[in-house]
């Protein structure tokens, strides 16, 4: 027993000694600057006529004054450890990410030209999470003004009409653009690049409906932003409404030429109260971050706003961020795989 322990101790000492050696391709002074100073300082090694520091050749072939370099090669620590039977710690295995999320509708859409009729980076990110991205995924926001009269439309009617308007405008614009390019005269020596047929258009609109039924969209300025958040706090609860409109061309090209489906999702959001960590100073400080300046209601649930403003929610989280993804995929299946079917209880409409 003592003999085997003695042998193991010798093996460890051999490896430790080899590890302790400095690399041969670096000067000894790199490991011991005090020794180098001692050897070449004027006090410890005064200059004498005809003597110079040792010369050696650099990696670029030029001669330079430096100290002598050790001749031996750097030891192979791994080989030395294995030769003496010392086990090595293995590297951790590479952690691979999750496998792609696959659904028949996603597989189908990956081969089609899909247009998101919105400039919202949150909606783009939510769709990218489920695999809708890449060369066939196009961002084309509607340029029509959102001027539907709020006084003649309730919150649900207003948000639904706005999303429908966006989808139709973007689809019609894309089709007209394709026809214009196809009918244009070809230029000699230049290939005419005709856009691919539109496979699907996804449009959405999000608003805030206050407890009294008032419609809130994005704040107009900083003063309006502060006032909006204070109102949401003081009224405690409000509704986030997101209308999704999905449109695809009809396979049989029957009137009106496309299939359209719509859905409006509702989520209740409860704000914290002034005596529970949300005084005016916190709201004013949040507004200065500009995080919610481009969002309906003036706050971002997925950001600082969700941490300091919101107490709790009832309903779909994605809906508050900007797009109820699960319901959006259901609408995509409806307009692509089940054209002509009427879903009971849905708010789909046919174009007159």
């Amino acid at each position: 027993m003592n003999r085997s322990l003695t042998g193991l101790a010798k093996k460890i000492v051999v490896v430790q000694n080899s590890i302790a050696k400095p690399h041969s391709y670096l000067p000894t002074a790199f490991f011991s600057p005090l020794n180098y100073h001692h050897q070449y300082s004027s006090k410890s090694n005064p200059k004498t006529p005809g003597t110079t520091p040792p010369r050696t050749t650099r990696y670029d072939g030029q001669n330079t004054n430096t100290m002598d370099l050790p001749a031996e090669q750097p030891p192979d620590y791994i080989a030395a450890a294995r030769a003496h039977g010392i086990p090595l710690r293995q590297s951790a295995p590479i952690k691979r990410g999750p496998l792609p999320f696959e659904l028949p509708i996603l597989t189908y859409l990956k081969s089609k030209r899909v247009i998101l009729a919105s400039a919202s980076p949150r909606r783009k990110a939510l769709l990218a999470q489920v695999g809708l991205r890449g060369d066939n995924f196009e961002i084309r926001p509607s340029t029509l003004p959102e001027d539907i009269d709020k006084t003649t439309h309730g919150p649900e009617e207003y948000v639904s009409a706005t999303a429908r308007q966006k989808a139709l405008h973007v689809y019609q614009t894309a089709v007209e653009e394709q026809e214009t390019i196809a009918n244009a005269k070809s230029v000699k020596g230049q290939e005419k690049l005709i856009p691919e047929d539109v496979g699907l258009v996804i449009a959405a609109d999000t608003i805030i409906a206050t407890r009294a039924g008032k419609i809130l969209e994005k704040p107009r300025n900083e003063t309006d932003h502060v006032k909006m958040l204070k109102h949401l706090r003081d009224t405690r609860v409000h509704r986030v409404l997101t209308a999704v409109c999905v449109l695809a061309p009809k396979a049989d090209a029957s009137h009106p030429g496309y299939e359209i489906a719509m859905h409006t999702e509702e989520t209740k959001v409860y704000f914290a109260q002034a005596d529970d960590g949300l005084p005016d100073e916190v709201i004013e400080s949040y507004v200065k971050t500009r995080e919610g300046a481009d969002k309906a209601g003036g706050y971002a649930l997925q950001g600082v706003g969700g941490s300091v403003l919101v107490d709790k929610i009832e309903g779909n989280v994605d809906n508050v961020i900007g797009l109820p993804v699960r319901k959006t995929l259901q609408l995509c299946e409806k307009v692509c795989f089940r054209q002509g079917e009427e879903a009971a209880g849905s708010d789909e409409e046919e174009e007159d």
Side-chain angles (χ1 to χ4, degrees):
M1 180 69 177
N2 292 337
R3 186 176 301 172
S4 61
L5 291 175
T6 303
L8 178 60
K10 288 181 179 180
K11 293 177 182 179
I12 294 174
V13 169
V14 169
V15 176
Q16 287 178 338
N17 289 340
S18 65
I19 294 174
K21 290 182 180 181
H23 294 293
S24 61
Y25 49 84
L26 293 175
T28 304
F30 182 84
F31 301 94
S32 182
L34 293 177
N35 289 340
Y36 176 82
H37 176 75
H38 175 75
Q39 293 175 14
Y40 292 102
S41 66
S42 59
K43 293 181 180 180
S44 62
N45 189 16
K47 293 183 179 179
T48 56
T51 62
T52 59
R55 302 178 70 85
T56 187
T57 302
R58 298 193 317 195
Y59 66 88
D60 57 3
Q62 300 178 8
N63 290 331
T64 182
N65 291 331
T66 184
M67 65 194 72
D68 288 325
L69 300 176
E72 65 269 21
Q73 295 296 319
D76 187 342
Y77 305 129
I78 295 177
R82 287 175 175 167
H84 292 85
I86 298 177
L88 297 173
R89 180 175 177 271
Q90 298 296 322
S91 299
I94 298 175
K95 186 177 180 180
R96 303 189 183 279
L99 296 176
F101 180 62
E102 295 183 352
L103 290 174
I105 185 60
L106 294 175
T107 302
Y108 173 81
L109 292 177
K110 286 175 183 177
S111 64
K112 301 295 180 180
R113 181 186 175 192
V114 178
I115 299 177
L116 175 61
S118 171
S120 168
R122 278 84 57 190
R123 292 181 181 132
K124 178 183 176 182
L126 287 169
L127 291 174
Q129 283 183 342
V130 295
L132 283 180
R133 57 179 177 266
D135 295 338
N136 289 339
F137 189 76
E138 182 179 337
I139 305 297
R140 183 190 282 251
S142 172
T143 56
L144 283 181
E146 298 180 16
D147 55 1
I148 296 175
D149 191 354
K150 296 184 180 70
T151 61
T152 59
H153 292 73
E156 288 83 0
E157 294 173 323
Y158 174 84
V159 73
S160 179
T162 302
R164 180 187 179 88
Q165 177 179 273
K166 290 179 180 180
L168 289 171
H169 176 252
V170 168
Y171 176 73
Q172 291 166 354
T173 301
V175 170
E176 291 171 1
E177 179 184 275
Q178 183 185 36
E179 293 175 349
T180 300
I181 295 175
N183 296 331
K185 292 183 179 179
S186 299
V187 178
K188 188 176 181 180
Q190 294 184 6
E191 183 180 358
K192 186 188 296 185
L193 298 177
I194 302 175
E196 183 183 347
D197 291 341
V198 176
L200 184 81
V201 174
I202 301 172
D205 189 56
T206 301
I207 62 168
I208 300 295
T210 68
R211 203 165 195 169
K214 182 181 178 181
I215 298 173
L216 299 181
E217 295 186 282
K218 301 172 185 177
R220 297 186 297 272
N221 50 52
E222 187 170 314
T223 302
D224 183 50
H225 197 173
V226 172
K227 181 180 178 182
M228 183 181 292
L229 292 178
K230 287 181 179 179
H231 177 76
L232 294 178
R233 177 199 63 188
D234 296 341
T235 55
R236 175 62 172 156
V237 62
H238 59 272
R239 295 183 300 149
V240 178
L241 301 174
T242 298
V244 183
C245 182
V246 176
L247 183 153
K250 281 194 173 183
D252 59 4
S254 60
H255 180 79
Y258 53 79
E259 186 86 5
I260 191 168
M262 298 191 64
H263 172 76
T264 300
E265 187 82 7
E266 175 184 316
T267 302
K268 288 184 178 180
V269 179
Y270 294 79
F271 261 36
Q273 298 300 285
D275 58 357
D276 190 26
L278 192 56
D280 291 352
E281 294 78 15
V282 174
I283 289 178
E284 291 164 2
S285 181
Y286 176 73
V287 167
K288 286 182 172 60
T289 69
R290 305 286 298 165
E291 180 187 71
D294 63 339
K295 298 170 181 63
Y299 67 94
L301 182 68
Q302 71 277 20
V304 177
S307 300
V308 301
L309 304 177
V310 177
D311 182 28
K312 64 179 181 178
I313 70 168
E314 293 178 359
N316 191 304
V317 176
D318 291 348
N319 181 51
V320 184
I321 298 174
L323 189 72
V325 176
R326 186 175 63 254
K327 180 54 76 170
T328 300
L329 293 178
Q330 291 177 347
L331 296 177
C332 292
E333 289 179 338
K334 164 67 176 63
V335 299
C336 293
F337 296 160
R338 302 193 303 275
Q339 293 188 355
E341 293 183 8
E342 290 295 334
S346 67
D347 52 359
E348 294 118 20
E349 302 175 51
E350 285 192 5
E351 180 73 359
D352 296 329

